[in-house]
């Protein structure tokens, strides 16, 4: 078994993908030869969910900046979706590498000092073009300087069986002395996307708390920018990207919603179970805390099915 350390682990979307051994959309994703030896996040509510679902040797709630590398066990694979919100696109004169943006450097620090065979980092699509590509170049150079051959790829999650148009940058580094070339996995669903209907089995549900009020619908209709209506999702296509904003989804925003009845103008948000399925979590996955907690954890997660393909693709490098 290859030992895995998970940084910025959240509720464990990437970790579920690493371990495998789950079912989604009638497909069994085989158990992979990985074991979780350490998981770290600043959000204890998310870690409560992690604890419910995984047998991890050590789960730590804390800031990576305060963690001594010696406290992290030796491992074969380091996984982490380092937060990206402090890379500012609003103010182009702002230093994109201020203290709040140094979390990728913390992952580099662990990689440099622990020297795992492989690391996998995940981030948003915008990282590729932010500051005209200078940020992603700097991130990759930092990992290269730590002793790794590094590749990056923009992954469309829908191409890998996730019913969502989520796009993410996956950065993979292989330690130079291993001398094996990594290849990203082929996309099994590139021409056969999984539709939203996989996640939403019944459009109309009885619980009215998920429905938008008539006032909200009228507000959307009267908005000067009427493109909002276009965010009602089609069940025969993948959903638009769900985010941590799921608990506060609005008809006057860029959030995907469901149009239950066009004639009655009934709209509703996704239920937590639907949102989890959109992210490709198996129905057996349990979320701790309130519905709002679950929504936030789901929206912040890495889709397990997509990450399973990434995890499996690094095995030839490790063997």
């Amino acid at each position: 078994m290859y030992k895995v350390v998970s940084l910025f682990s959240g509720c464990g979307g990437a970790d579920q993908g690493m371990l495998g051994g789950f079912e989604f959309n009638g497909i069994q994703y085989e158990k992979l030869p990985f074991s979780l030896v350490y998981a770290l996040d600043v959000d204890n509510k998310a870690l409560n969910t992690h604890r419910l679902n995984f047998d991890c040797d050590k789960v730590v709630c804390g800031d990576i900046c305060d963690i001594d590398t010696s406290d992290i066990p030796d491992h074969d694979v380091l996984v982490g979706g380092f937060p990206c919100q402090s890379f500012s696109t609003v103010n182009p004169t702002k230093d994109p590498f201020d203290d709040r943006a140094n979390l990728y450097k913390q992952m580099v620090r662990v990689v440099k000092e622990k020297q795992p065979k492989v690391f996998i980092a995940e981030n948003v699509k915008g990282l590729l073009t932010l500051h005209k590509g200078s940020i992603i170049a700097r991130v990759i150079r930092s990992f290269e300087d730590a002793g790794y051959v590094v590749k990056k790829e923009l992954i469309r999650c829908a191409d890998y069986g996730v019913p969502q148009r989520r796009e993410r940058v996956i950065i993979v580094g292989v330690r130079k002395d291993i001398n094996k070339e990594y290849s990203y996995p082929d996309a099994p669903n590139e021409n056969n996307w999984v539709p939203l209907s996989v996640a939403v089995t019944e459009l109309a549900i009885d619980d009215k708390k998920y429905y938008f009020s008539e006032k909200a619908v009228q507000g959307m209709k009267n908005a000067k920018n009427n493109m909002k209506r276009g965010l009602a999702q089609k069940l025969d296509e993948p959903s638009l990207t769900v985010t941590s904003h799921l608990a506060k989804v609005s008809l006057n925003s860029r959030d995907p919603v469901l149009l239950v009845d066009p004639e009655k103008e009934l709209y509703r948000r996704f239920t937590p179970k639907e949102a989890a399925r959109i992210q490709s979590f198996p129905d057996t996955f349990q979320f701790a805390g309130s519905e709002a907690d679950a929504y936030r954890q789901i929206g912040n997660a890495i889709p397990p099915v997509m990450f399973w393909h990434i995890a499996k693709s690094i095995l030839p490098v490790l063997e």
Side-chain angles (χ1 to χ4, degrees):
M1 297 289 280
Y2 300 108
K3 296 179 179 179
V4 177
V5 163
S6 175
L7 303 181
F8 319 109
S9 59
C11 67
D15 298 343
Q16 179 70 84
M18 287 296 299
L19 299 179
F22 64 93
E23 181 180 315
F24 178 75
N25 190 26
I27 298 172
Q28 187 68 35
Y29 292 89
E30 66 177 300
K31 185 171 175 55
L32 299 176
F34 297 108
S35 64
L36 277 175
V37 297
Y38 185 93
L40 173 74
D41 201 275
V42 295
D43 183 355
N44 198 50
K45 289 183 177 180
L47 289 178
N48 285 337
T49 291
H50 196 282
R51 295 181 184 100
L52 268 181
N53 293 278
F54 303 106
D55 182 15
C56 181
D57 292 353
K58 189 173 183 180
V59 179
V60 177
C61 182
D63 187 331
I64 182 64
C65 300
D66 300 328
I67 301 296
D68 193 308
T69 314
S70 62
D71 292 336
I72 298 175
D74 292 337
H75 52 283
D76 301 294
V77 183
L78 181 70
V79 175
F82 58 87
C84 57
Q85 38 285 45
S86 51
F87 294 136
S88 174
T89 56
V90 177
N91 182 358
T93 63
K94 176 182 175 292
D95 177 10
F97 294 98
D98 64 9
D99 290 342
R100 295 183 306 146
N102 282 338
L103 292 176
Y104 90 92
K105 292 183 179 180
Q106 296 298 325
M107 190 169 178
V108 172
R109 169 174 66 92
V110 176
V111 164
K112 186 174 183 178
E113 295 188 27
K114 304 303 291 190
Q115 289 287 295
K117 295 176 181 177
V118 177
F119 75 82
I120 309 172
E122 181 262 5
N123 216 279
V124 295
K125 175 183 178 180
L127 186 63
L128 291 175
T129 54
L130 200 57
H131 288 261
K132 298 181 179 180
S134 64
I135 290 181
I136 184 67
R138 189 166 173 177
V139 169
I140 289 177
R141 188 165 59 250
S142 296
F143 282 116
E144 289 175 339
D145 291 344
Y148 289 76
V149 177
V150 184
K151 289 186 174 183
K152 69 178 187 302
E153 186 81 14
L154 182 63
I155 298 292
R156 293 191 305 185
C157 295
D159 289 345
Y160 291 86
V162 179
Q164 182 184 185
R165 298 176 185 271
R166 198 181 196 92
E167 293 182 292
R168 287 297 185 267
V169 178
I170 301 295
I171 304 169
V172 177
V174 179
R175 205 174 64 208
K176 289 179 181 177
D177 66 294
I178 291 176
N179 202 27
K180 289 184 180 180
E181 185 174 355
Y182 169 74
S183 297
Y184 286 90
D186 293 332
N189 295 81
E190 188 172 5
N191 298 308
N192 185 30
W193 284 354
V194 175
L196 177 58
S197 57
V198 164
V200 179
T201 54
E202 293 183 36
L203 196 56
I205 56 176
D206 293 333
D207 197 333
K208 298 303 179 186
K209 70 180 178 182
Y210 298 111
Y211 288 79
F212 292 101
S213 68
E214 183 179 347
K215 181 179 179 181
V217 173
Q218 293 304 316
M220 176 194 69
K221 289 174 62 179
N222 294 331
K224 293 180 181 179
N225 184 356
N226 202 29
M227 70 179 189
K228 316 297 185 192
R229 187 184 297 276
L231 298 184
Q233 302 301 285
K234 296 180 179 178
L235 293 180
D236 59 353
E237 298 177 358
S239 171
L240 291 177
T241 300
V242 294
T243 71
S244 59
H245 186 66
L246 279 164
K248 300 178 181 178
V249 162
S250 166
L251 284 175
N252 290 314
S253 69
R254 298 295 298 162
D255 303 309
V257 297
L258 294 168
L259 177 56
V260 177
D261 188 327
E263 290 188 8
K264 295 181 180 179
E265 296 182 319
L266 284 178
Y267 290 82
R268 71 167 175 86
R269 73 187 75 241
F270 297 113
T271 67
K273 186 172 186 178
E274 290 167 344
R277 287 174 173 173
I278 290 170
Q279 282 278 57
S280 76
F281 280 97
D283 283 349
T284 52
F285 199 91
Q286 304 174 69
F287 291 92
S290 66
E291 276 200 353
D293 294 334
Y295 276 132
R296 187 176 62 259
Q297 293 166 27
I298 292 165
N300 281 330
I302 296 173
V305 163
M306 179 274 286
F307 212 78
W308 179 88
H309 287 281
I310 300 296
K312 189 176 182 182
S313 72
I314 68 170
L315 288 176
V317 174
L318 294 170
E319 291 168 350

